[in-house]
Amino acid sequence: MIPTLLGIMAISFAVIQFAPGGPIEQVVAQLTGQGGLATDRLSGGGTDLATDNQFDTSSNTTGKYRGAQGLDPEFIEKLEKQFGFDKPPLERFGMMIWNYSRFDFGESYFRKVSVVDLIIEKMPVSISLGLWITLLSYGISIPLGIRKAVKDGSTFDVWTSGVIIVAYAIPGFLFAILLLVLFAGGSYLDWFPLRGLLSEGLDGGACLPWGDFRPGYCFTEVLPDYFWHLTLPLLSLALASFATTTLLTKNSFLDEIRKQYVQTARAKGLTERQVLYGHVFRNAMLIVVAGFPAAFISAFFTGALLIETIFSLDGLGLLGYRSVIERDYPVVFATLYIFSLLGLIVGLISDLVYTWIDPRIDFESRQV
């Protein structure tokens, strides 16, 4: 895990060194009136700083950055020192890895808050989307996959497969726009809100046990409003989220149903339900359950940039995009480090879950 993590960070750091633009160019662009919001590109507005602020070949300090001509060289030098660009790349990379190994991620270049606080601030949106879409996906996929395996080849199996394939093929952001037009005050109905997790004036802390927990207010005011805001985003994400798990569950059950021990169980007089849930279920669900930790964690941190943008949800997906466009390197590398580390840990947990579910699996004794 450690060499893999170092490799991810080293390659990403090297790519950044050759990418056009940078935090100094961002500051220069703002001073010269050429800056814009990161989300302007999604709507076709703003200036593409990544292409407009190319490095120059001049040798003087201000000449290194396009648009810096006429600015005080001492000011540019102070910017370089502030952002750490007065040091060679290898030294900067070594300092970054040393700090990250102690989970010291520093501060954002442009927001003047710690990266950890910034991530925590955006977590409620990503947790809300990730938690509910994971539960919704597995809640639909597993029963549907089992039903399709039992009814393999039937009319039910054929038409549900068609629906799943069509749903999987429709882009989530396109479906999100359709839902906005139809149900969020577009051209037809105005049933759902357009932005945020809660309506203005509602206190989300009333539902937190460690905060100002008020059960009556929480269950009658906050939670209904919370799910009202999440309905359209979750529908957009759920459209294609259960396709893979459904077909995986079906194929896994089909493989087990055709094995000899199932025929033996039936010969003993067990009902189909006893055979299915008493014998087949544990073995068939091995691959599905073992993949749950990865699906559960990745749903939090993968981020749904377009969905968050369409529904004005300020989560980790939008944070990551803005950080890359604005060249906010502390946020970019810290989120990359955290997500990569979590991904590697979850991969290890998935392997452990395999052995926990089926003790017959032994990775150490396998022969290559």
Side-chain angles (χ1 to χ4, degrees):
M1 289 170 57
I2 294 176
T4 302
L5 187 61
L6 288 175
I8 292 172
M9 300 303 297
I11 293 174
S12 302
F13 187 85
V15 169
I16 288 295
Q17 304 310 305
F18 295 100
I24 295 179
E25 284 86 345
Q26 297 291 322
V27 175
V28 171
Q30 294 293 334
L31 292 175
T32 56
Q34 300 176 18
L37 295 175
T39 50
D40 285 344
R41 300 179 197 193
L42 297 177
S43 59
T47 301
D48 191 353
L49 299 177
T51 56
D52 289 346
N53 296 319
Q54 303 288 338
F55 284 103
D56 200 346
T57 57
S58 304
S59 59
N60 58 64
T61 305
T62 58
K64 291 192 295 184
Y65 311 102
R66 177 167 296 181
Q69 289 83 359
L71 295 178
D72 187 353
E74 292 185 1
F75 172 72
I76 300 298
E77 291 177 359
K78 288 181 180 179
L79 286 179
E80 290 181 336
K81 186 175 181 179
Q82 176 183 346
F83 294 132
F85 292 111
D86 57 331
K87 300 179 178 67
L90 286 179
E91 183 179 349
R92 286 189 281 122
F93 179 74
M95 291 176 59
M96 181 182 71
I97 294 299
W98 168 247
N99 290 332
Y100 284 10
S101 66
R102 297 178 291 123
F103 294 96
D104 178 10
F105 301 110
E107 290 189 352
S108 167
Y109 281 162
F110 304 111
R111 296 176 176 87
K112 299 304 179 184
V113 296
S114 70
V115 174
V116 174
D117 290 341
L118 193 59
I119 292 176
I120 292 175
E121 179 188 342
K122 310 300 180 184
M123 284 289 286
V125 169
S126 296
I127 289 178
S128 295
L129 292 176
L131 175 63
W132 296 116
I133 200 60
T134 302
L135 296 178
L136 185 63
S137 173
Y138 272 76
I140 294 175
S141 299
I142 294 176
L144 181 59
I146 295 174
R147 185 69 176 174
K148 285 174 64 62
V150 173
K151 299 290 185 180
D152 183 44
S154 66
T155 303
F156 173 82
D157 180 42
V158 172
W159 73 259
T160 52
S161 294
V163 171
I164 289 173
I165 293 173
V166 171
Y168 187 74
I170 299 176
F173 73 90
L174 189 63
F175 189 60
I177 295 174
L178 176 63
L179 292 177
L180 279 180
V181 172
L182 293 178
F183 302 111
S187 301
Y188 299 93
L189 304 173
D190 188 10
W191 288 356
F192 295 96
L194 286 172
R195 62 180 65 247
L197 290 179
L198 291 174
S199 299
E200 188 176 353
L202 291 182
D203 180 16
C207 291
L208 299 176
W210 57 87
D212 183 21
F213 185 54
R214 289 170 285 167
Y217 177 71
C218 172
F219 290 109
T220 60
E221 299 289 339
V222 177
L223 283 181
D225 186 77
Y226 169 76
F227 286 111
W228 183 46
H229 281 73
L230 278 179
T231 300
L232 296 187
L234 287 181
L235 284 176
S236 303
L237 290 171
L239 185 66
S241 63
F242 58 87
T244 303
T245 309
T246 300
L247 297 179
L248 183 65
T249 303
K250 175 193 173 183
N251 293 334
S252 182
F253 267 80
L254 283 178
D255 289 340
E256 293 296 324
I257 288 173
R258 294 165 181 166
K259 290 183 178 179
Q260 184 62 43
Y261 75 89
V262 176
Q263 304 298 328
T264 302
R266 287 171 176 166
K268 290 181 178 179
L270 297 179
T271 65
E272 282 298 314
R273 186 176 184 84
Q274 290 175 323
V275 171
L276 188 64
Y277 292 101
H279 293 75
V280 176
F281 187 83
R282 181 183 177 92
N283 295 327
M285 288 302 294
L286 172 64
I287 190 171
V288 177
V289 175
F292 181 78
F296 190 69
I297 297 297
S298 64
F300 289 161
F301 299 106
T302 302
L305 169 61
L306 292 175
I307 300 299
E308 290 181 8
T309 303
I310 291 171
F311 291 103
S312 300
L313 299 172
D314 194 5
L316 292 175
L318 198 55
L319 172 65
Y321 174 76
R322 285 174 174 169
S323 301
V324 170
I325 298 301
E326 295 169 358
R327 305 301 194 269
D328 197 346
Y329 293 153
V331 179
V332 173
F333 285 116
T335 52
L336 175 65
Y337 180 86
I338 294 172
F339 299 164
S340 299
L341 180 61
L342 284 174
L344 294 171
I345 293 175
V346 167
L348 176 61
I349 293 175
S350 296
D351 288 342
L352 295 176
V353 170
Y354 270 112
T355 60
W356 176 65
I357 295 176
D358 191 348
R360 296 172 299 175
I361 297 176
D362 187 353
F363 291 107
E364 294 183 358
S365 63
R366 65 181 179 181
Q367 295 180 355
V368 179

